[in-house]
Amino acid sequence: MTSPKASHASVKADASQAFSHKLSSVADAVEAFLAERLGPETQAGEITRPVRLMEAMRHAVLGGGKRLRPFLAVETARMLGGSEAGALAAGSAIELVHCYSLVHDDMPAMDDDDMRRGKPTVHKAYDEATAILVGDALQTLAFEILADSAWQPDPSIRADLVLGLAKASGLGGMVGGQILDLGAEGRFGAVSLDVEDTLQLQAMKTGAILAFSVDAGALVGGATPDQRAALWRYGLALGQAFQIADDILDREASPEAMGKATGKDKDAGKATLVDRLGIDGARAECDRLVGICEEAVSAWGDKAQTLREAARFTVARKV
């Protein structure tokens, strides 16, 4: 006779496998969508597509990554009964902004990394000037996709998506968080960040884009204001949990597993919750944030199971 404990473990393993399959399925769809957008053929309104630029953009975007951000957009829209094609396009646009940020973040003036997703970073595979232009081109392509009526016929939703991504990725979001992160290293003078300062930095640098990924799915799915507010709480907590889990991995995972150098954040003096709370405290904070995520989507019951699994995956991942 199978014991209740063994039965529970089997159910948990089945749920984890089902989630992994969904994540991989969306990642494959994103890969196909982005590969088509980054093809060599000149599109309407373009004069030409420079070969070197296109090759470097494909190097930066294709063939790696969990695609968590588009996954959140797609699954949120799916939960609400929205257009999966529209959510896939919106999520892929967000992924392009994420990839652009990685290209620039890897450069010598920023984090100075040689490897990303197990292959040379763009400035190493090509050169620094090309890497700058790749980031610029990926960012603008993201907004081109969001503004295209082919993916979202409702102009008010298109406008909200463009506005939301601009805010999440700009001076009050990712870019602003990046400069706070550089400041935390002492680049612009001595600084000492407490827990609240560190949370604010991370909410901007990493959390804003992740939270908007959920909100993009809510917009495509036609969420009510109250639903959007609940999903925004989910997204903010998920973003915080993701960054803390990333900081833990930077301390504990191997470079081979991560596909990039690890331990650099501590060496650079970056502000992390691991430094402020310790490993055990950081893990406890992750668990608390997962609880917030689960509470935020409780009104959807079983329909929100994938989003609950996404929160758990975020803190349990090993890469």
Side-chain angles (χ1 to χ4, degrees):
M1 181 181 290
T2 304
S3 70
K5 186 174 181 180
S7 177
H8 176 73
S10 177
V11 169
K12 188 175 180 180
D14 288 345
S16 177
Q17 186 174 21
F19 175 81
S20 296
H21 176 74
K22 284 186 177 182
L23 187 64
S24 296
S25 178
V26 172
D28 289 344
V30 171
E31 184 82 2
F33 183 93
L34 292 177
E36 188 173 351
R37 306 283 87 69
L38 295 171
E41 299 82 9
T42 302
Q43 303 298 303
E46 297 176 350
I47 296 173
T48 189
R49 289 193 157 196
V51 172
R52 182 179 180 83
L53 180 62
M54 297 311 302
E55 287 178 349
M57 289 170 72
R58 290 174 68 86
H59 180 91
V61 172
L62 303 180
K66 294 174 287 295
R67 313 300 191 191
L68 179 61
R69 291 153 189 82
F71 178 79
L72 291 169
V74 168
E75 289 300 329
T76 301
R78 183 179 289 163
M79 181 184 76
L80 296 169
S83 164
E84 291 185 29
L88 177 66
S92 296
I94 297 168
E95 185 70 7
L96 289 176
V97 167
H98 173 58
C99 290
Y100 123 68
S101 75
L102 298 181
V103 172
H104 283 185
D105 198 43
D106 287 337
M107 294 183 66
M110 299 283 280
D111 279 357
D112 194 15
D113 277 311
D114 293 345
M115 299 293 292
R116 169 71 65 180
R117 295 171 175 171
K119 60 185 181 182
T121 50
V122 175
H123 72 276
K124 284 293 183 181
Y126 294 87
D127 59 81
E128 291 183 28
T130 299
I132 291 170
L133 294 174
V134 163
D136 295 344
L138 292 176
Q139 182 188 44
T140 52
L141 180 58
F143 287 98
E144 180 181 327
I145 291 170
L146 284 186
D148 192 337
S149 61
W151 314 113
Q152 178 49 252
D154 188 326
S156 65
I157 293 177
R158 291 202 305 273
D160 284 344
L161 288 169
V162 168
L163 178 62
L165 185 56
K167 286 185 173 181
S169 61
L171 62 91
M174 181 184 70
V175 173
Q178 285 280 19
I179 200 162
L180 291 177
D181 194 40
L182 293 176
E185 298 176 14
R187 292 202 189 192
F188 316 126
V191 64
S192 178
L193 301 187
D194 59 19
V195 170
E196 197 61 34
D197 294 329
T198 303
L199 285 171
Q200 182 184 71
L201 181 164
Q202 294 182 342
M204 294 170 66
K205 179 185 174 185
T206 304
I209 291 287
L210 279 162
F212 176 68
S213 300
V214 178
D215 194 42
L219 286 167
V220 173
T224 67
D226 286 346
Q227 289 175 329
R228 278 187 72 188
L231 289 165
W232 189 254
R233 289 197 303 275
Y234 169 93
L236 289 176
L238 183 78
Q240 286 185 351
F242 181 95
Q243 184 58 62
I244 296 169
D246 214 45
D247 293 337
I248 293 171
L249 284 171
D250 185 67
R251 299 294 176 85
E252 296 188 337
S254 68
E256 292 75 22
M258 294 292 285
K260 62 179 182 178
T262 57
K264 293 186 66 178
D265 289 353
K266 183 176 170 117
D267 294 342
K270 286 184 178 291
T272 72
L273 263 292
V274 174
D275 291 321
R276 306 301 183 264
L277 303 176
I279 291 287
D280 291 341
R283 286 202 176 99
E285 180 64 7
C286 279
D287 291 340
R288 185 186 76 82
L289 291 165
V290 169
I292 293 174
C293 289
E294 293 180 338
E295 184 280 327
V297 297
S298 59
W300 283 279
D302 290 344
K303 289 183 179 180
Q305 184 59 29
T306 300
L307 292 185
R308 283 190 284 271
E309 291 285 348
R312 295 170 195 147
F313 165 82
T314 292
V315 301
R317 63 198 169 92
K318 301 302 180 186
V319 293

